[in-house]
Amino acid sequence: MSDQIQGKSLINGKWVTGSEGSVSGFNPATDEALTPEISLLGAEQLDQATAAAKDAFASYRATTPEERAAFLDDVAEQIEARREDIIARATQETGLPEARLTGETSRTSNQLRLFAKVLRHGNDNSVRIDPAQPERQPAPRVDLRQRRVPLGPVAVFGASNFPLAFSTAGGDTASALAAGCPVVFKAHNAHPGTSEIVAQAINQAINNQGLHPGVFNLVFGPGAKIGQRLVSDPEITAVGFTGSRTGGMAIFHAANQRPIPIPVYAEMSAVNPVFVLPGALDDSAALAEGFFGSVTGSAGQLCTKPGLLFLPVGEAGDKFVAELSEHFNNSHGQTMLTKNIADAWLDATQKLRSQSGVRVAGEGTTGEGRNAPAPVVFETDLATFESNDVLEAEMFGPASLVIRYSSADELISVIGGLEGQLTATFRAAESDFQDVEALLPHVEDIAGRILFGGWPTGVEVGHAMVHGGPFPATTNGATTSVGTLAIERFQRPVAYQSFPESLRPAPVQDANPWNVPQVYDGQF
Ligand code: NAP
């Protein structure tokens, strides 16, 4: 059971009323304002949050893996204890269906528990030990030991479309806390009440575990003011962001203009191409149904939604388009996350309608309630697609574009011209394997996750997941924002040369008191 929502920020364990006025959250299904109003922080109040995070760093970085793991498990438990309130509030604030929010709550707590397991295993230390070789000729080798240390306070920006899993206690927060970094979380104004309940859960776990209250801070305020100041704050050492390309790039540029630049891990936009090869059309009905489901699920508001589908010309492809059109024609709109997002989607689809050589292949009807525009699918040919950049722009919502091609060779050149992507998907049968093999290296160059079969929506949280990719999918394609590798984004390696055993940090000691995996003289 959560405490009552107060519309306040959480700074150093205290609920604080902002000095810069207040705003309402809205129910996108009715456009009605929700209560209570959310008060917005002033600059000095924000500075108190970053100072608290800095203050907490000294003790938090010194916690043992077990202490940190117990904290993450406790956050998961506290979220589960507030499950009903979280889902009720998030349903009002986002228009997302209860079933989707139920799954997302479980995903969020399971994700925290997975990071706890990684800490107990100790692999996040990435220990490498090159023992001294005093007898080595012509010169002796020194003793060198490497481990990873936390960077310091991390600023996290949540996305509108995952009010839990990419928000207050989502992947960026969980991985930063697991790395040993305090967090200042800039709440998304599309789900402020949900953010506050989750912040209550984190704060309760901080109290239970006896941690410094500045380990987690929740701040409310406009991105253009509070968000920019947060990224520019000298106490902040890294940024995790999920959202739009405009927002992500504004933060990336601000971070690079600091006297001391910091890493920004922004996951932004993608159109997630699907390459349908001829053999996959043997069961075009199932393919059309699956594609429709992936494009329109969660009202198409997923960063992995397939926004482009490359389809062979010819009869089998025509049959697929006819089946797909039927799905779209019979569909109804679902409430989108906010009025602004629904309006942005209408603008983007309107722009596509006005491009020459593009036709509407199928379109549904608007849904009940506000902000529920009709799903739509467009069709064009490869030459038109290659000659017009507008056709590659992301439409964040229930829309996609089918592009007809003649041969797999043509796809090689088109892949080379695509921007960086979170995902790319092959739909192919055994008769197409030679073509897939030829296309694969080109797809590797542009995508973070490559699927053979299935659909890209639905991102598994595990050890091998990559939710990243070359720009503009992210600002740093060398890592991932989902999965346990995400911890490394908020750490850096330190090497200790010639340290006596008694002074070595625990994970690099010969005695290995935390029992962490060590790469010893190159051997696992
Ligand atoms: P967003 O607008 O980028 O906002 C994400 C967070 O960044 C918010 O807390 C926002 O704060 C903050 N922010 C935005 N601009 C900022 C700036 N200049 N400086 C500092 N902070 C800033 O993302 P979103 O709300 O999730 O999505 C909105 C639009 O992004 C949608 O219309 C959609 O077209 C597009 N989009 C989203 C995703 C996604 O995965 N979420 C993917 C692709 C495209 P404020 O809201 O207070 O400004």
Side-chain angles (χ1 to χ4, degrees):
M1 180 73 181
S2 63
D3 297 334
Q4 205 180 0
I5 299 170
Q6 306 178 74
K8 293 182 179 178
S9 294
L10 175 68
I11 298 175
N12 206 21
K14 301 252 173 335
W15 294 98
V16 175
T17 302
S19 60
E20 293 290 299
S22 59
V23 292
S24 297
F26 283 90
N27 181 336
T30 59
D31 280 342
E32 281 167 1
L34 293 166
T35 54
E37 292 205 335
I38 308 298
S39 70
L40 309 175
L41 291 184
E44 281 176 14
Q45 293 176 308
L46 178 71
D47 296 351
Q48 287 165 12
T50 55
K54 169 73 176 172
D55 201 37
F57 182 48
S59 59
Y60 189 57
R61 65 170 297 169
T63 48
T64 63
E66 179 50 42
E67 287 166 338
R68 235 179 269 165
F71 169 48
L72 296 182
D73 279 344
D74 201 351
V75 175
E77 204 171 302
Q78 297 305 327
I79 287 173
E80 290 295 346
R82 291 162 178 78
R83 173 181 273 274
E84 269 180 33
D85 292 349
I86 288 172
I87 292 170
R89 184 70 185 193
T91 306
Q92 284 184 328
E93 290 185 331
T94 66
L96 292 170
E98 195 180 314
R100 150 74 202 270
L101 292 164
T102 300
E104 204 185 317
T105 308
S106 301
R107 174 180 166 167
T108 306
S109 47
N110 289 339
Q111 182 163 264
L112 288 154
R113 293 188 174 113
L114 181 69
F115 280 113
K117 266 192 205 151
V118 170
L119 292 177
R120 290 195 172 100
H121 183 251
N123 210 19
D124 59 303
N125 293 279
S126 299
V127 173
R128 291 153 178 255
I129 296 177
D130 295 343
Q133 292 176 352
E135 311 303 330
R136 190 182 70 173
Q137 292 299 331
R141 186 173 83 174
V142 295
D143 181 282
L144 266 180
R145 291 163 189 251
Q146 185 192 113
R147 68 152 176 167
R148 299 181 73 81
V149 300
L151 293 180
V154 172
V156 175
F157 291 75
S160 56
N161 56 344
F162 277 89
L164 300 157
F166 284 86
S167 190
T168 318
D172 283 334
T173 297
S175 52
L177 293 175
C181 300
V183 166
V184 181
F185 180 76
K186 152 71 177 86
H188 201 292
N189 60 19
H191 50 263
T194 309
S195 297
E196 189 178 322
I197 302 175
V198 176
Q200 289 171 9
I202 302 174
N203 195 40
Q204 183 63 55
I206 287 175
N207 289 337
N208 293 347
Q209 302 299 318
L211 297 172
H212 188 298
V215 164
F216 178 84
N217 304 272
L218 170 82
V219 297
F220 284 112
K225 282 168 89 177
I226 286 294
Q228 286 287 316
R229 189 173 177 98
L230 182 58
V231 174
S232 308
D233 190 298
E235 308 296 11
I236 294 297
T237 58
V239 181
F241 169 95
T242 306
S244 67
R245 186 157 161 181
T246 313
M249 289 313 291
I251 286 168
F252 181 74
H253 290 312
N256 282 301
Q257 276 160 18
R258 295 164 46 117
I260 301 175
I262 52 173
V264 174
Y265 299 102
E267 188 252 284
M268 304 179 293
S269 55
V271 286
N272 305 296
V274 176
F275 303 102
V276 175
L277 294 165
L281 290 171
D282 287 351
D283 190 359
S284 63
L287 197 71
E289 187 181 359
F291 180 60
F292 168 76
S294 188
V295 171
T296 57
S298 294
Q301 303 162 114
L302 298 174
C303 38
T304 52
K305 180 205 74 177
L308 302 176
L309 181 136
F310 293 89
L311 180 74
V313 293
E315 258 179 49
D318 293 347
K319 185 164 168 275
F320 170 86
V321 173
E323 284 155 344
L324 186 63
S325 301
E326 209 176 316
H327 283 293
F328 273 88
N329 289 339
N330 292 330
S331 69
H332 305 286
Q334 304 161 49
T335 300
M336 295 186 77
L337 294 157
T338 65
K339 182 173 186 316
N340 281 349
I341 288 179
D343 289 348
W345 182 85
L346 284 170
D347 284 351
T349 50
Q350 199 50 45
K351 198 165 179 187
L352 211 64
R353 282 174 209 272
S354 66
Q355 302 303 307
S356 99
V358 177
R359 75 174 189 100
V360 172
E363 186 166 16
T365 48
T366 51
E368 281 175 22
R370 303 285 178 93
N371 305 311
V376 57
V377 63
F378 300 92
E379 187 183 14
T380 191
D381 58 79
L382 198 63
T384 303
F385 178 76
E386 287 195 294
S387 65
N388 186 348
D389 288 345
V390 170
L391 276 50
E392 202 190 331
E394 185 184 21
M395 295 177 283
F396 190 69
S400 195
L401 173 65
V402 174
I403 304 127
R404 308 295 297 270
Y405 72 90
S406 305
S407 74
D409 287 349
E410 285 181 340
L411 288 180
I412 293 183
S413 98
V414 90
I415 291 167
L418 290 176
E419 292 189 313
Q421 304 292 337
L422 293 169
T423 75
T425 302
F426 288 111
R427 298 296 310 225
E430 208 164 338
S431 51
D432 305 309
F433 276 15
Q434 213 177 337
D435 285 335
V436 174
E437 227 174 309
L439 295 172
L440 187 55
H442 302 277
V443 173
E444 281 170 356
D445 283 347
I446 60 153
R449 177 165 57 107
I450 307 169
L451 293 82
F452 185 88
W455 301 105
T457 42
V459 183
E460 186 67 33
V461 183
H463 304 291
M465 177 49 72
V466 173
H467 189 63
F471 182 84
T474 72
T475 50
N476 187 330
T479 183
T480 172
S481 68
V482 175
T484 55
L485 186 67
I487 297 179
E488 289 190 6
R489 298 174 304 162
F490 304 120
Q491 299 170 319
R492 64 186 175 81
V494 173
Y496 304 84
Q497 185 170 327
S498 304
F499 267 56
E501 174 79 351
S502 63
L503 286 179
R504 288 173 187 149
V508 297
Q509 286 173 12
D510 286 335
N512 197 3
W514 293 353
N515 199 24
V516 302
Q518 295 178 329
V519 175
Y520 197 85
D521 218 3
Q523 305 291 318
F524 282 92

